[in-house]
Amino acid sequence: MLNFNLPPDAVTNAEFVALRLKELVEADGVRETVTVDWNGRPLHVGVIDVPLRSLYYNPATHRIRAQRGHDPKFARGLDEDPWSPESQQYLHRLLVGKPANPDEVDPDFEALTDSLKSVDQQEPGLITHEGILVNGNTRAAALRQLKRPSIRVGVLPQSFTWEDINAVELALQLRPDERRDYSYINRLIAMEEQELMGRDAADIARAFHVQLKTFKQERWILSVIRDMIDRSSTPEGAQLALSDFEGHQENLKELHRTYMKVAAASQERAEQVKENRIVAILLDFAKTKTRLIGADFQADYLEGNLSDLLSAGVGEAPSAVVIPGLGVSVPAASDPVRQARAATDRVLRARALESARHLTPETREAAQREVTEARRGMRRALDEAERDDRLKRVRQTTAERLDDARAAIDQSVEDLVQALGKGSLDEESFDSALLRLKGSMTKLARQASRGVVKRREGVDWLIKASEG
């Protein structure tokens, strides 16, 4: 959990807020309050009007936690002094931007701004006595865009710590009626934070309104993302950020489901599938494509189209790996797994290099070329896999439909017996239906005689029956 010192105007803001709260209590009429969840019980706090120029964006807000590292230079400044004008402007930029690309304005933010332009602020934000926004950071950003002078906010008790602030913000966000959810990665980070605080997994799942198995899935996904980020680090100082994995929610969930299914039979095959799918995700392929990547994808399709990538950086395999601190040796990864990891690492570093602003254009362009070449190879492999899958499904569908036809004929036999027994058979309709069946059988036999290479007993019968 992030903790920070108080902002430079903390004392002045606290005096101003205390005065406004005093005026609120002493004023005639109904006192406006806002209710927040605090330790499982409602906490009613007074609402006042505060100048926007006096308030600070919350550097610990879960709203943009994954996006903090988007610009490494400003991210370092945010860690060193979150209250400086530069850091506050960076937070404003992240609040305005898309979760997956903070350099572009989020349509949801534009919608919020349009709403506030035509309709006054409906719900108050939430601040500390020192002027730190706990809830309503995005609303404050929108009001500042509109040049509004102030914002209505509830004020938390002076005794609240950073842990209290984070808990209140999370509780507010997890209300079912909240209009704008955290982005996917920020939600994963919030779950992780709760677990690191020692909270029970079942309690966290309930708080986030998900099943326990979903919570475990999300924790696995975040651990994979963090591993990918660590492996993307380059000697030039480039590295992917958490926000680079925004927008891949469904792909990552499907990756987890496939990994667990394959791991039940083979852990090594599961690792291979995971690495292959991560490469496809990094290269921006949709889940309809990445789901084609199974246990045999690397051997059947990838090796023929991305052989250079698979062999890059793969040295001689160690006979065993020693687990640090335990002195226990385990077998080293097999060659296919090591090749898959090498390919993933190569793409991870290339993606990190092409997005690193501090590097020369030549370095970034070289990385872009490598990514483009990898995408072409992966597309060829996926196209081949898709073609084979389509042919396989066509073969299966033909057989399944014939089975359905057989079942229908078996039912017709029973119907015929009953109709004959009752003397109710429409012989003319029956004969016409048989002729139509004969026509269909003749067409099926004609296609089978042209396309089936090995004629077995069934195909021979079909062709002879149609000829007779």
Side-chain angles (χ1 to χ4, degrees), residues 37-42:
D37 182 44
W38 172 238
N39 285 339
R41 58 185 176 83

Side-chain angles (χ1 to χ4, degrees), residues 41-312:
R41 58 185 176 83
L43 175 65
H44 308 287
V45 299
V47 174
I48 60 175
D49 201 70
V50 178
L52 278 164
R53 66 175 184 275
S54 302
L55 299 182
Y56 294 90
Y57 293 124
N58 179 8
T61 179
H62 296 86
R63 172 71 60 196
I64 46 86
R65 190 72 64 86
Q67 288 70 37
R68 287 171 59 90
H70 174 68
D71 189 312
K73 175 186 174 182
F74 287 107
R76 286 191 297 272
L78 196 56
D79 290 334
E80 294 167 2
D81 184 5
W83 316 116
S84 70
E86 293 79 13
S87 292
Q88 287 290 301
Q89 183 57 39
Y90 181 51
L91 288 172
H92 180 88
R93 172 182 161 197
L94 298 181
L95 290 164
V96 169
K98 291 180 179 179
N101 183 9
D103 291 331
E104 298 179 6
V105 176
D106 190 349
D108 287 343
F109 179 82
E110 291 180 323
L112 173 63
T113 305
D114 290 341
S115 174
L116 290 171
K117 186 187 299 183
S118 57
V119 181
D120 287 337
Q121 182 187 352
Q122 297 296 302
E123 295 184 9
L126 199 64
I127 65 168
T128 67
H129 273 69
E130 294 77 19
I132 302 169
L133 284 154
V134 176
N135 188 46
N137 282 270
T138 311
R139 265 172 288 169
L143 289 170
R144 281 173 170 164
Q145 295 275 81
L146 295 171
K147 308 297 183 183
R148 298 289 173 81
S150 62
I151 181 174
R152 286 170 42 250
V153 289
V155 184
L156 292 174
Q158 277 187 303
S159 61
F160 267 41
T161 64
W162 274 108
E163 185 175 339
D164 299 330
I165 291 169
N166 280 313
V168 167
E169 185 213 1
L170 192 59
L172 284 168
Q173 178 57 37
L174 294 178
R175 282 181 176 176
D177 60 347
E178 283 292 316
R179 295 181 181 177
R180 190 186 179 203
D181 292 334
Y182 289 148
S183 70
Y184 179 58
I185 303 300
N186 284 317
R187 188 175 175 86
L188 299 188
I189 294 170
M191 287 184 180
E192 177 189 55
E193 180 183 284
Q194 293 294 300
E195 188 174 53
L196 293 175
M197 290 170 62
R199 193 173 178 184
D200 181 71
D203 289 341
I204 301 172
R206 279 193 294 272
F208 280 82
H209 311 293
V210 298
Q211 295 182 354
L212 181 59
K213 65 177 183 180
T214 303
F215 169 75
K216 293 179 178 178
Q217 178 191 62
E218 306 288 45
R219 295 292 295 116
W220 183 90
I221 289 172
L222 185 57
S223 70
V224 169
I225 290 173
R226 291 199 184 281
D227 179 51
M228 295 301 120
I229 291 173
D230 289 342
R231 288 164 56 185
S232 72
S233 180
T234 72
E236 295 87 353
Q239 189 175 40
L240 290 177
L242 285 164
S243 58
D244 291 314
F245 292 86
E246 293 278 18
H248 296 301
Q249 176 176 349
E250 294 305 318
N251 238 329
L252 291 167
K253 285 178 177 289
E254 193 154 312
L255 166 64
H256 173 264
R257 289 192 291 268
T258 303
Y259 179 90
M260 292 303 174
K261 182 179 179 180
V262 177
S266 170
Q267 186 65 41
E268 285 207 342
R269 284 294 187 94
E271 286 296 319
Q272 193 174 321
V273 170
K274 182 188 76 175
E275 297 293 331
N276 292 166
R277 285 206 178 192
I278 285 291
V279 169
I281 292 171
L282 289 167
L283 296 174
D284 299 320
F285 285 95
K287 68 175 183 178
T288 53
K289 288 286 191 179
T290 60
R291 65 167 54 122
L292 295 165
I293 300 175
D296 298 320
F297 179 79
Q298 183 169 318
D300 292 348
Y301 306 104
L302 209 54
E303 289 180 359
N305 290 287
L306 280 175
S307 57
D308 292 343
L309 203 64
L310 289 167
S311 61

